Amino acid sequence: MTGTTPTGTTVAEVMAELAELEDPKARAVNEKHGDDHGVNLGKLRALAKRLKTQQDLARGLWETDDTAARLLALLICRPRAFGRDELDAMVREARTPKVHDWLVNYVVKKNPHAEELRPVWSADEDPVVASAGWALTTERVAKKPEGLDLSALLDIVEAEMKDAPDRLQWAMNHCLAQIGIDHADHRARAMDIGERLQVLKDYPTSPGCTSPFAPVWITEIVRRRQAR
């Protein structure tokens, strides 16, 4: 899709503008995290604010397979407008960590098909797709746990997290921590699983940030909540 959208902006025009925003230093930093683009995210958000919501343009930008264009697409799209199969295809096409992360957090979580896709993705053989399912599960643990079998989730984490690929491991660890933070009756077991598996214990953490090591994460967030 390279034609003009109803608002008059073309994919080609936006791609040209993104090319002008390309910064070699930003690309070098982003590539260290697996993201192959050189556009400052602040400038990308400013461009999205100017373009406003444009679903047709968003779809066209996504189809370019360009990382910066896809990030912009996720900022200007209408999250609830995507169909179930469309979202499933998009999560499988999301090649880079930032695109995957924004797709799940900015679009899928706001879409009415999220709960339908959650168990399907969680069981997928592709660990990146599975990580999207776990991210949606973590969202439910925090906001709508009714109907979830938290003990069964802890069983899976206990059995599979230690040897899971990085992005899936990260998502499962987040779910483990969220269960421990939000559900006091499961907190001791969540802490114990984290202590025994030692996942992300040595992860480098910047000053002022909370470690992603589940026992530390759980303890710190619970402490903050109790101090309010």
Side-chain angles (χ1 to χ4, degrees):
M1 180 192 296
T2 56
T4 304
T5 66
T7 55
T9 309
T10 68
V11 171
E13 287 169 347
V14 175
M15 294 301 291
E17 190 159 356
L18 288 173
E20 291 178 4
L21 293 174
E22 175 74 20
D23 179 351
K25 291 182 180 179
R27 178 174 286 275
V29 172
N30 291 330
E31 286 184 344
K32 290 180 180 179
H33 303 288
D35 295 308
D36 57 348
H37 75 93
V39 179
N40 175 279
L41 295 182
K43 293 180 179 179
L44 191 76
R45 290 181 186 278
L47 175 56
K49 188 175 182 179
R50 178 160 55 80
L51 290 170
K52 299 184 170 62
T53 301
Q54 298 192 50
Q55 183 68 7
D56 289 341
L57 179 59
R59 283 194 166 103
L61 290 170
W62 182 270
E63 289 172 10
T64 66
D65 194 29
D66 176 84
T67 294
R70 284 187 163 182
L71 291 173
L72 181 60
L74 297 171
L75 294 175
I76 67 170
C77 73
R78 190 171 291 106
R80 298 181 66 84
F82 292 104
R84 178 199 182 282
D85 292 344
E86 193 171 13
L87 285 180
D88 185 65
M90 290 171 73
V91 85
R92 296 174 192 281
E93 293 166 0
R95 298 177 294 100
T96 65
K98 184 66 72 177
V99 170
H100 175 88
D101 181 55
W102 283 18
L103 173 61
V104 173
N105 287 294
Y106 296 173
V107 179
V108 179
K109 286 181 179 180
K110 299 176 182 178
N111 185 279
H113 298 289
E115 179 55 26
E116 181 185 354
L117 288 165
R118 182 185 65 81
V120 176
W121 285 348
S122 296
D124 200 275
E125 292 183 359
D126 182 331
V128 175
V129 175
S131 73
W134 277 91
L136 295 178
T137 298
T138 301
E139 180 89 346
R140 270 204 61 187
V141 166
K143 296 183 177 180
K144 193 178 179 182
E146 297 79 19
L148 285 179
D149 188 336
L150 299 181
S151 292
L153 287 174
L154 290 174
D155 288 343
I156 297 171
V157 170
E158 187 172 22
E160 300 178 12
M161 182 173 74
K162 181 78 171 178
D163 299 317
D166 288 351
R167 281 160 74 179
L168 176 55
Q169 184 184 72
W170 187 274
M172 295 176 85
N173 182 71
H174 190 177
C175 190
L176 171 67
Q178 203 68 52
I179 291 173
I181 290 165
D182 290 330
H183 302 278
D185 49 337
H186 293 279
R187 187 169 298 149
R189 186 182 175 202
M191 295 276 286
D192 177 64
I193 291 172
E195 288 287 1
R196 284 187 290 104
L197 298 186
Q198 299 283 290
V199 168
L200 299 176
K201 183 177 183 180
D202 299 321
Y203 190 84
T205 305
S206 302
C209 296
T210 303
S211 169
F213 179 48
V216 173
W217 191 354
I218 294 167
T219 301
E220 176 61 17
I221 301 303
V222 170
R223 182 194 66 76
R224 290 182 196 175
R225 290 182 178 180
Q226 291 174 343
R228 289 175 184 169

Coordinates of all heavy atoms in Angstrom, one line a residue, residues 26-99:
A26 N 21.8 6.8 17.2 CA 20.6 6.2 17.8 C 20.5 4.7 17.2 O 20.2 3.8 18.0 CB 19.3 6.9 17.4
R27 N 20.9 4.5 16.0 CA 20.8 3.2 15.4 C 21.8 2.3 16.1 O 21.5 1.1 16.5 CB 21.1 3.2 13.9 CG 21.2 1.8 13.3 CD 21.3 1.9 11.8 NE 20.1 2.3 11.1 CZ 19.1 1.5 10.8 NH1 19.2 0.2 11.1 NH2 18.0 1.9 10.2
A28 N 23.0 2.8 16.4 CA 24.0 2.0 17.1 C 23.5 1.5 18.5 O 23.7 0.4 18.9 CB 25.3 2.8 17.3
V29 N 22.9 2.4 19.2 CA 22.3 2.1 20.5 C 21.2 1.1 20.4 O 21.1 0.1 21.1 CB 21.8 3.4 21.3 CG1 21.1 3.0 22.5 CG2 23.0 4.3 21.6
N30 N 20.3 1.3 19.4 CA 19.1 0.5 19.3 C 19.6 -1.0 18.8 O 19.0 -1.9 19.3 CB 18.2 1.0 18.2 CG 17.5 2.3 18.7 OD1 17.2 2.4 19.9 ND2 17.1 3.2 17.8
E31 N 20.6 -1.0 18.0 CA 21.0 -2.3 17.5 C 21.6 -3.2 18.6 O 21.5 -4.4 18.5 CB 22.0 -2.2 16.3 CG 21.3 -1.7 15.0 CD 22.2 -1.6 13.8 OE1 23.4 -1.6 14.0 OE2 21.7 -1.6 12.7
K32 N 22.1 -2.6 19.6 CA 22.6 -3.4 20.8 C 21.4 -4.1 21.4 O 21.6 -5.1 22.1 CB 23.3 -2.5 21.8 CG 24.6 -1.9 21.3 CD 25.2 -1.0 22.4 CE 26.6 -0.5 21.9 NZ 27.2 0.4 22.9
H33 N 20.2 -3.6 21.3 CA 19.0 -4.2 21.9 C 18.2 -5.0 20.8 O 17.1 -5.5 21.1 CB 18.1 -3.2 22.5 CG 18.8 -2.3 23.5 ND1 19.2 -2.8 24.8 CD2 19.3 -1.0 23.5 CE1 19.8 -1.9 25.5 NE2 19.9 -0.8 24.7
G34 N 18.8 -5.2 19.7 CA 18.1 -6.0 18.6 C 17.1 -5.2 17.8 O 16.4 -5.8 17.0
D35 N 17.1 -3.9 17.9 CA 16.2 -3.1 17.1 C 16.9 -2.4 16.0 O 17.7 -1.5 16.2 CB 15.5 -2.0 18.1 CG 14.7 -2.7 19.2 OD1 13.8 -3.5 18.8 OD2 14.9 -2.4 20.3
D36 N 16.5 -2.7 14.8 CA 17.3 -2.2 13.6 C 16.6 -0.9 13.1 O 16.1 -0.9 12.0 CB 17.4 -3.3 12.5 CG 16.0 -3.8 12.1 OD1 15.0 -3.5 12.8 OD2 15.9 -4.5 11.1
H37 N 16.7 0.2 13.8 CA 16.3 1.5 13.4 C 17.1 2.5 14.0 O 17.7 2.3 15.1 CB 14.8 1.7 13.6 CG 14.4 2.0 15.1 ND1 14.3 3.3 15.5 CD2 14.2 1.2 16.1 CE1 14.1 3.2 16.8 NE2 14.0 2.0 17.2
G38 N 17.1 3.7 13.4 CA 17.9 4.8 14.0 C 17.1 6.1 14.3 O 17.7 7.2 14.2
V39 N 15.8 5.9 14.6 CA 15.0 7.1 14.8 C 14.8 7.3 16.3 O 14.4 6.3 17.0 CB 13.6 6.9 14.2 CG1 12.7 8.1 14.5 CG2 13.8 6.8 12.7
N40 N 15.1 8.5 16.8 CA 14.9 8.8 18.2 C 13.4 8.6 18.6 O 12.5 9.1 17.9 CB 15.3 10.2 18.5 CG 15.0 10.7 19.9 OD1 13.9 11.1 20.2 ND2 16.0 10.6 20.8
L41 N 13.1 7.9 19.7 CA 11.7 7.6 20.0 C 10.9 8.8 20.3 O 9.7 8.9 20.1 CB 11.6 6.5 21.1 CG 12.2 5.1 20.7 CD1 12.0 4.2 21.9 CD2 11.5 4.6 19.4
G42 N 11.6 9.8 20.9 CA 10.9 11.1 21.2 C 10.4 11.7 19.9 O 9.3 12.3 19.8
K43 N 11.3 11.7 18.9 CA 10.9 12.3 17.6 C 9.9 11.5 16.9 O 9.0 12.0 16.2 CB 12.2 12.5 16.7 CG 13.2 13.5 17.3 CD 14.4 13.6 16.4 CE 15.4 14.7 17.0 NZ 16.6 14.8 16.2
L44 N 9.9 10.2 17.1 CA 8.9 9.3 16.5 C 7.5 9.6 17.1 O 6.5 9.7 16.4 CB 9.3 7.8 16.7 CG 8.5 6.8 15.9 CD1 9.0 6.8 14.5 CD2 8.7 5.4 16.5
R45 N 7.5 9.8 18.4 CA 6.2 10.1 19.1 C 5.7 11.4 18.7 O 4.5 11.6 18.5 CB 6.4 10.0 20.6 CG 6.7 8.6 21.1 CD 6.8 8.6 22.6 NE 7.2 7.3 23.1 CZ 6.3 6.3 23.4 NH1 5.0 6.5 23.1 NH2 6.7 5.1 23.8
A46 N 6.6 12.4 18.4 CA 6.2 13.7 18.0 C 5.5 13.6 16.6 O 4.5 14.3 16.3 CB 7.4 14.7 18.0
L47 N 6.1 12.8 15.7 CA 5.6 12.6 14.4 C 4.2 11.9 14.5 O 3.3 12.3 13.8 CB 6.5 11.8 13.6 CG 6.1 11.3 12.2 CD1 5.7 12.6 11.3 CD2 7.2 10.5 11.5
A48 N 4.1 11.0 15.4 CA 2.8 10.3 15.6 C 1.7 11.3 16.1 O 0.6 11.2 15.6 CB 3.0 9.1 16.5
K49 N 2.1 12.2 16.9 CA 1.2 13.1 17.5 C 0.7 14.1 16.4 O -0.5 14.4 16.3 CB 1.9 13.9 18.6 CG 0.9 14.9 19.3 CD 1.6 15.5 20.5 CE 0.7 16.4 21.3 NZ 1.4 17.0 22.5
R50 N 1.6 14.4 15.5 CA 1.2 15.3 14.3 C 0.3 14.5 13.3 O -0.7 15.1 12.8 CB 2.4 15.8 13.6 CG 2.2 16.7 12.4 CD 3.4 17.5 12.1 NE 4.6 16.8 11.9 CZ 4.9 16.1 10.8 NH1 4.0 16.1 9.8 NH2 6.0 15.5 10.6
L51 N 0.6 13.3 13.1 CA -0.2 12.5 12.1 C -1.6 12.1 12.7 O -2.5 11.9 11.9 CB 0.5 11.2 11.7 CG 1.8 11.4 10.9 CD1 2.5 10.1 10.7 CD2 1.4 11.9 9.5
K52 N -1.7 12.0 14.0 CA -2.9 11.6 14.7 C -3.3 10.2 14.3 O -2.5 9.5 13.6 CB -4.0 12.6 14.5 CG -3.7 14.0 15.0 CD -4.9 14.9 14.8 CE -4.8 16.2 15.5 NZ -3.6 17.0 15.0
T53 N -4.5 9.7 14.7 CA -4.9 8.3 14.4 C -5.3 8.2 12.9 O -6.1 8.9 12.4 CB -6.1 8.0 15.2 OG1 -5.7 8.1 16.6 CG2 -6.5 6.5 14.9
Q54 N -4.6 7.3 12.2 CA -4.9 7.0 10.8 C -4.7 5.5 10.6 O -3.6 5.0 10.3 CB -3.9 7.8 9.9 CG -4.0 9.3 10.0 CD -3.3 10.0 8.9 OE1 -3.4 9.7 7.7 NE2 -2.4 10.9 9.2
Q55 N -5.8 4.8 10.6 CA -5.7 3.3 10.6 C -5.2 2.8 9.2 O -4.4 1.9 9.1 CB -7.1 2.7 10.9 CG -7.1 1.2 10.9 CD -6.4 0.6 12.0 OE1 -5.9 1.3 12.9 NE2 -6.2 -0.8 12.0
D56 N -5.7 3.4 8.1 CA -5.2 3.0 6.8 C -3.7 3.2 6.6 O -3.0 2.4 6.1 CB -6.0 3.7 5.7 CG -7.4 3.2 5.6 OD1 -7.7 2.1 6.1 OD2 -8.2 3.9 5.0
L57 N -3.3 4.4 7.1 CA -1.8 4.7 7.0 C -1.0 3.7 7.9 O 0.0 3.3 7.5 CB -1.6 6.1 7.4 CG -0.1 6.6 7.4 CD1 0.5 6.5 6.0 CD2 0.0 8.1 7.9
A58 N -1.6 3.4 9.0 CA -0.9 2.5 10.0 C -0.7 1.1 9.3 O 0.4 0.5 9.4 CB -1.7 2.4 11.3
R59 N -1.7 0.7 8.7 CA -1.6 -0.6 8.0 C -0.6 -0.6 6.9 O 0.2 -1.5 6.7 CB -3.0 -1.1 7.4 CG -4.0 -1.6 8.5 CD -5.1 -2.3 7.8 NE -5.9 -3.1 8.8 CZ -7.1 -2.7 9.3 NH1 -7.6 -1.6 8.9 NH2 -7.7 -3.5 10.2
G60 N -0.6 0.5 6.1 CA 0.4 0.6 5.1 C 1.8 0.7 5.6 O 2.7 0.1 5.0
L61 N 2.0 1.4 6.7 CA 3.4 1.5 7.3 C 3.8 0.1 7.8 O 5.0 -0.3 7.7 CB 3.4 2.5 8.4 CG 3.3 4.0 8.0 CD1 3.0 4.9 9.2 CD2 4.5 4.4 7.2
W62 N 2.9 -0.6 8.4 CA 3.2 -2.0 8.9 C 3.7 -2.9 7.8 O 4.6 -3.6 7.9 CB 2.0 -2.6 9.6 CG 2.3 -3.9 10.2 CD1 2.2 -5.2 9.5 CD2 2.9 -4.2 11.5 NE1 2.6 -6.2 10.4 CE2 3.1 -5.6 11.6 CE3 3.2 -3.4 12.5 CZ2 3.6 -6.2 12.7 CZ3 3.8 -4.0 13.7 CH2 3.9 -5.4 13.8
E63 N 3.0 -2.8 6.6 CA 3.4 -3.6 5.5 C 4.7 -3.4 4.9 O 5.3 -4.2 4.2 CB 2.3 -3.5 4.4 CG 0.9 -4.0 4.7 CD -0.2 -3.7 3.7 OE1 0.2 -3.1 2.7 OE2 -1.3 -4.0 4.0
T64 N 5.4 -2.2 5.2 CA 6.7 -2.0 4.7 C 7.8 -2.9 5.3 O 8.9 -3.0 4.8 CB 7.1 -0.5 5.0 OG1 7.3 -0.3 6.4 CG2 6.1 0.5 4.5
D65 N 7.5 -3.5 6.5 CA 8.4 -4.3 7.2 C 9.6 -3.5 7.7 O 10.7 -4.1 8.1 CB 8.9 -5.5 6.3 CG 9.6 -6.6 7.1 OD1 9.3 -6.7 8.3 OD2 10.5 -7.3 6.6
D66 N 9.5 -2.2 7.7 CA 10.6 -1.3 8.3 C 10.3 -1.1 9.8 O 9.2 -0.8 10.2 CB 10.6 0.0 7.5 CG 11.6 1.0 8.1 OD1 12.7 0.9 7.7 OD2 11.2 1.8 8.9
T67 N 11.3 -1.3 10.6 CA 11.1 -1.2 12.1 C 10.6 0.1 12.5 O 9.6 0.2 13.3 CB 12.4 -1.6 12.8 OG1 12.7 -2.9 12.6 CG2 12.2 -1.4 14.3
A68 N 11.2 1.2 12.1 CA 10.7 2.6 12.5 C 9.3 2.8 12.0 O 8.4 3.4 12.7 CB 11.6 3.7 12.0
A69 N 9.0 2.4 10.8 CA 7.6 2.5 10.2 C 6.6 1.7 11.0 O 5.5 2.2 11.3 CB 7.6 2.1 8.8
R70 N 7.0 0.5 11.4 CA 6.1 -0.3 12.2 C 5.9 0.3 13.6 O 4.7 0.3 14.1 CB 6.6 -1.7 12.3 CG 6.4 -2.5 11.0 CD 6.8 -3.9 11.1 NE 6.2 -4.7 10.0 CZ 6.3 -6.0 9.8 NH1 7.0 -6.7 10.7 NH2 5.7 -6.6 8.8
L71 N 6.9 0.9 14.2 CA 6.7 1.5 15.5 C 5.7 2.7 15.4 O 4.8 2.9 16.2 CB 8.0 2.0 16.1 CG 9.0 0.9 16.5 CD1 10.4 1.4 16.9 CD2 8.4 0.1 17.7
L72 N 5.9 3.5 14.3 CA 5.0 4.6 14.1 C 3.6 4.1 13.8 O 2.6 4.7 14.3 CB 5.5 5.4 12.9 CG 4.7 6.6 12.5 CD1 4.6 7.6 13.6 CD2 5.3 7.3 11.2
A73 N 3.5 3.0 13.1 CA 2.1 2.4 12.8 C 1.4 2.1 14.1 O 0.2 2.3 14.2 CB 2.3 1.2 11.9
L74 N 2.2 1.6 15.0 CA 1.5 1.2 16.3 C 1.1 2.3 17.1 O 0.2 2.2 18.0 CB 2.5 0.3 17.1 CG 2.9 -1.0 16.4 CD1 4.0 -1.7 17.1 CD2 1.7 -2.0 16.3
L75 N 1.7 3.5 16.9 CA 1.3 4.7 17.6 C 0.1 5.4 17.0 O -0.6 6.2 17.7 CB 2.5 5.7 17.7 CG 3.7 5.3 18.5 CD1 4.9 6.3 18.3 CD2 3.4 5.1 19.9
I76 N -0.1 5.3 15.7 CA -1.2 6.0 15.0 C -2.4 5.1 14.6 O -3.3 5.6 14.0 CB -0.7 6.7 13.7 CG1 -0.3 5.7 12.7 CG2 0.5 7.7 14.1 CD1 0.0 6.4 11.3
C77 N -2.3 3.8 15.0 CA -3.4 2.9 14.6 C -4.5 3.0 15.6 O -4.5 3.7 16.6 CB -2.9 1.5 14.6 SG -2.6 0.8 16.2
R78 N -5.6 2.3 15.2 CA -6.8 2.2 16.1 C -6.8 0.8 16.7 O -7.2 -0.1 16.0 CB -8.1 2.5 15.3 CG -9.3 2.7 16.2 CD -10.5 3.2 15.3 NE -10.3 4.6 14.9 CZ -10.0 4.9 13.6 NH1 -9.9 4.0 12.7 NH2 -9.9 6.2 13.3
P79 N -6.3 0.6 17.9 CA -6.1 -0.8 18.4 C -7.3 -1.7 18.3 O -7.1 -2.9 18.0 CB -5.7 -0.5 19.9 CG -5.0 0.8 19.9 CD -5.8 1.6 18.9
R80 N -8.5 -1.2 18.5 CA -9.6 -2.1 18.5 C -10.1 -2.4 17.1 O -11.0 -3.2 16.9 CB -10.8 -1.4 19.2 CG -10.5 -1.1 20.7 CD -11.6 -0.5 21.5 NE -12.8 -1.4 21.5 CZ -13.0 -2.3 22.4 NH1 -12.1 -2.5 23.4 NH2 -14.0 -3.1 22.4
A81 N -9.5 -1.8 16.1 CA -9.9 -2.0 14.7 C -9.3 -3.3 14.0 O -9.8 -3.7 13.0 CB -9.6 -0.8 13.8
F82 N -8.3 -3.9 14.7 CA -7.7 -5.1 14.1 C -8.5 -6.4 14.4 O -9.0 -6.5 15.5 CB -6.3 -5.3 14.6 CG -5.3 -4.2 14.2 CD1 -4.9 -3.2 15.1 CD2 -4.8 -4.2 12.9 CE1 -4.0 -2.2 14.7 CE2 -3.9 -3.2 12.5 CZ -3.5 -2.2 13.4
G83 N -8.6 -7.2 13.4 CA -9.3 -8.5 13.6 C -8.4 -9.5 14.3 O -7.1 -9.3 14.4
R84 N -8.9 -10.6 14.8 CA -8.2 -11.6 15.5 C -7.0 -12.2 14.6 O -5.9 -12.2 15.1 CB -9.1 -12.8 15.9 CG -8.4 -13.9 16.6 CD -9.2 -15.2 16.6 NE -8.6 -16.2 17.3 CZ -7.6 -17.0 16.9 NH1 -7.1 -16.7 15.7 NH2 -7.0 -17.9 17.6
D85 N -7.3 -12.6 13.4 CA -6.3 -13.2 12.5 C -5.3 -12.2 12.1 O -4.1 -12.5 12.0 CB -7.0 -13.8 11.3 CG -7.8 -15.0 11.6 OD1 -7.7 -15.6 12.7 OD2 -8.6 -15.4 10.7
E86 N -5.7 -10.9 12.0 CA -4.7 -9.9 11.7 C -3.7 -9.7 12.8 O -2.5 -9.6 12.6 CB -5.5 -8.6 11.5 CG -4.7 -7.5 10.8 CD -5.6 -6.3 10.4 OE1 -6.7 -6.2 10.9 OE2 -5.1 -5.4 9.6
L87 N -4.2 -9.7 14.1 CA -3.3 -9.6 15.2 C -2.3 -10.8 15.3 O -1.2 -10.6 15.6 CB -4.1 -9.4 16.5 CG -4.7 -8.1 16.8 CD1 -5.5 -8.1 18.1 CD2 -3.7 -6.9 16.8
D88 N -2.9 -11.9 15.0 CA -2.1 -13.2 15.1 C -1.0 -13.1 14.1 O 0.2 -13.4 14.4 CB -3.0 -14.4 14.9 CG -2.2 -15.7 15.0 OD1 -1.7 -16.0 16.2 OD2 -2.0 -16.4 14.0
A89 N -1.3 -12.6 12.9 CA -0.2 -12.5 11.8 C 0.8 -11.4 12.2 O 2.0 -11.6 12.1 CB -0.9 -12.1 10.5
M90 N 0.3 -10.3 12.8 CA 1.2 -9.3 13.2 C 2.2 -9.7 14.3 O 3.4 -9.4 14.2 CB 0.4 -8.0 13.6 CG -0.3 -7.3 12.5 SD -1.4 -6.0 13.1 CE -0.3 -4.8 13.6
V91 N 1.7 -10.4 15.3 CA 2.6 -10.8 16.3 C 3.7 -11.8 15.8 O 4.8 -11.9 16.3 CB 1.9 -11.4 17.5 CG1 1.6 -12.9 17.4 CG2 2.6 -11.2 18.9
R92 N 3.4 -12.6 14.8 CA 4.3 -13.5 14.2 C 5.3 -12.8 13.2 O 6.4 -13.2 13.0 CB 3.6 -14.6 13.4 CG 2.8 -15.5 14.4 CD 1.9 -16.5 13.7 NE 1.0 -17.1 14.6 CZ 1.3 -18.0 15.6 NH1 2.5 -18.5 15.6 NH2 0.4 -18.5 16.4
E93 N 4.9 -11.6 12.7 CA 5.7 -10.8 11.8 C 6.6 -9.8 12.6 O 7.6 -9.3 12.0 CB 4.8 -10.0 10.9 CG 4.0 -10.8 9.9 CD 2.9 -10.1 9.2 OE1 2.8 -8.8 9.5 OE2 2.2 -10.6 8.4
A94 N 6.3 -9.6 13.9 CA 7.1 -8.6 14.6 C 8.5 -9.1 14.9 O 8.7 -10.0 15.8 CB 6.4 -8.3 15.9
R95 N 9.5 -8.6 14.1 CA 10.8 -9.2 14.2 C 11.7 -8.7 15.3 O 12.5 -9.4 15.8 CB 11.5 -8.9 12.8 CG 10.9 -9.5 11.6 CD 11.7 -9.0 10.4 NE 11.6 -7.6 10.1 CZ 12.5 -6.7 10.4 NH1 13.7 -7.1 11.0 NH2 12.4 -5.4 10.2
T96 N 11.5 -7.5 15.7 CA 12.4 -6.9 16.7 C 11.7 -6.7 18.1 O 10.5 -6.6 18.2 CB 12.9 -5.5 16.2 OG1 11.7 -4.6 16.2 CG2 13.5 -5.6 14.8
P97 N 12.5 -6.7 19.1 CA 11.9 -6.6 20.5 C 11.0 -5.4 20.7 O 9.9 -5.6 21.3 CB 13.2 -6.5 21.4 CG 14.2 -7.2 20.6 CD 14.0 -6.9 19.2
K98 N 11.4 -4.2 20.2 CA 10.6 -3.0 20.5 C 9.3 -3.1 19.7 O 8.2 -2.7 20.3 CB 11.4 -1.8 20.1 CG 10.7 -0.5 20.4 CD 10.5 -0.2 21.9 CE 11.9 0.1 22.5 NZ 11.8 0.4 24.0
V99 N 9.3 -3.6 18.5 CA 8.0 -3.7 17.8 C 7.1 -4.7 18.5 O 5.9 -4.5 18.6 CB 8.3 -4.1 16.3 CG1 7.0 -4.5 15.6 CG2 9.0 -3.0 15.5

